[in-house]
Amino acid sequence: AQKITQTQPGMFVQEKEAVTLDCTYDTSDQSYGLFWYKQPSSGEMIFLIYQGSYDEQNATEGRYSLNFQKARKSANLVISASQLGDSAMYFCAMRGRSSNTGKLIFGQGTTLQVKP
Amino acid sequence: DAGITQSPRHKVTETGTPVTLRCHQTENHRYMYWYRQDPGHGLRLIHYSYGVKDTDKGEVSDGYSVSRSKTEDFLLTLESATSSQTSVYFCAISDPGGGARGQPQHFGDGTRLSIL
């Protein structure tokens, strides 16, 4: 069975500092993808970044990067230079190759608050 | 932004009544999904569709049915709503196939359903 675990229910970070949101996963698939989504207080789900299990380099998208440690089965999201608009809930999700229908398994989410 | 419209956006109804939520897409994506979001659980898959009239159950399908008669529309029905089905419901679409960005799912804005 596939599982995503986010152990930090809530996090605080000072504006302009970097923050790491933790995500660990469990899967028996050799090929899989990991996704991060942002959900601001307005409620929509915004795709941030993707990491494939065979990607040799950590994914980056602007201020977002993914610290992918395959042996540890972790895919932590790093947000650099935090902004007030980064305050939101963040979800880690996984899609296994065995799921040829693209189904995602989500973690419980981490609420991030950026302090001015 | 992906062309996904959920309707209604908000609904309050009584226990025992039937409820239908609609998801409409303009992206011609093959796959469509219904999730529910509850505190402490992240998003959980209810049902999904991999083509017209092709649907399958997700993790929390009891009490829900779906239909897809056209590529662009995916309906979620609560035949006899219960208070435990009070939740925020999200529709998502994708065209899985890998690629550099992993073909992420894109989400509608959600439907807030309250069952009294």
Side-chain angles (χ1 to χ4, degrees):
Chain A
Q2 298 180 336
K3 187 177 181 181
I4 292 281
T5 302
Q6 295 179 252
T7 58
Q8 306 154 313
M11 292 277 290
F12 289 91
V13 65
Q14 206 67 36
E15 192 178 10
K16 300 181 183 178
E17 293 185 348
V19 63
T20 298
L21 306 184
D22 294 341
C23 173
T24 58
Y25 60 91
D26 191 20
T27 181
S28 57
D29 287 344
Q30 296 301 308
S31 176
Y32 50 88
L34 295 155
F35 302 80
W36 277 91
Y37 285 84
K38 173 184 178 181
Q39 186 179 41
S41 59
S42 51
E44 69 269 30
M45 294 286 289
I46 302 167
F47 166 68
L48 294 178
I49 194 167
Y50 164 80
Q51 179 84 43
S53 59
Y54 290 118
D55 293 343
E56 293 185 352
Q57 293 189 338
N58 287 340
T60 60
E61 290 281 356
R63 294 186 298 111
Y64 304 109
S65 61
L66 211 152
N67 183 1
F68 181 48
Q69 299 188 43
K70 194 171 182 178
R72 294 187 176 185
K73 293 189 174 180
S74 73
N76 299 338
L77 177 70
V78 181
I79 305 174
S80 63
S82 296
Q83 302 172 356
L84 296 178
D86 294 333
S87 294
M89 179 164 280
Y90 290 81
F91 290 97
C92 180
M94 177 173 62
R95 180 181 71 215
R97 177 64 72 182
S98 62
S99 168
N100 60 359
T101 57
K103 293 183 290 183
L104 291 176
I105 303 296
F106 282 85
Q108 307 94 316
T110 295
T111 299
L112 176 67
Q113 293 192 24
V114 180
K115 294 183 174 181
Chain B
D1 289 342
I4 310 168
T5 304
Q6 289 187 232
S7 58
R9 293 295 315 281
H10 303 271
K11 187 173 182 66
V12 179
T13 190
E14 294 184 347
T15 300
T17 60
V19 178
T20 296
L21 307 183
R22 180 181 184 238
C23 179
H24 178 79
Q25 62 146 329
T26 58
E27 305 296 320
N28 201 35
H29 281 357
R30 179 182 173 192
Y31 294 89
M32 299 185 74
Y33 313 84
W34 277 108
Y35 293 89
R36 61 178 288 174
Q37 182 180 14
D38 304 290
H41 291 279
L43 277 75
R44 293 179 292 174
L45 183 65
I46 305 172
H47 281 280
Y48 64 97
S49 169
Y50 46 97
V52 174
K53 298 186 179 178
D54 291 324
T55 65
D56 205 350
K57 296 179 180 180
E59 179 187 359
V60 289
S61 60
D62 288 348
Y64 301 94
S65 63
V66 290
S67 65
R68 192 169 178 198
S69 59
K70 298 184 290 184
T71 298
E72 57 266 36
D73 289 328
F74 192 32
L75 304 181
L76 176 71
T77 297
L78 291 65
E79 300 289 348
S80 178
T82 68
S83 59
S84 65
Q85 294 175 311
T86 292
S87 187
V88 179
Y89 291 85
F90 284 97
C91 173
I93 64 173
S94 77
D95 254 343
R101 298 190 79 231
Q103 300 301 95
Q105 289 184 16
H106 294 284
F107 287 78
D109 289 338
T111 293
R112 189 172 295 273
L113 178 62
S114 296
I115 301 164
L116 307 178

